[in-house]
Amino acid sequence: MTDAIPLLSTVALTEPLAEHGLRRGHVGTVVEEWEPGVYEVEFSGDDGRAYAMVALRADQLLVLHFEPAVAS
């Protein structure tokens, strides 16, 4: 079972989605969880304008981290 991806997480695509003009590695933001393991992801340009909104499974996403993990 996969841990839930929190809303507003920054994620990257793990596979291309040519039908949406997206390549593997495109970076987006999780904006909604439709059901367990299915997320609406917004892909935006540097100007802040969204160019794609796609519902994706958790296995199509890699959560990106910007701070080191805290050792326990």
Side-chain angles (χ1 to χ4, degrees):
M1 182 169 165
T2 305
D3 291 332
I5 300 173
L7 292 181
L8 303 179
S9 292
T10 302
V11 295
L13 280 176
T14 60
E15 61 187 57
L17 297 173
E19 65 275 20
H20 297 285
L22 300 169
R23 295 180 291 188
R24 182 178 179 268
H26 261 111
V27 175
T29 303
V30 174
V31 296
E32 186 66 69
E33 182 177 12
W34 292 119
E35 60 184 63
V38 179
Y39 302 92
E40 185 79 12
V41 179
E42 178 181 284
F43 296 89
S44 302
D46 289 338
D47 62 2
R49 293 184 186 185
Y51 55 83
M53 293 273 292
V54 186
L56 299 165
R57 298 181 319 272
D59 66 340
Q60 295 174 289
L61 302 170
L62 172 67
V63 178
L64 302 179
H65 302 278
F66 299 96
E67 307 214 0
V70 177
S72 46

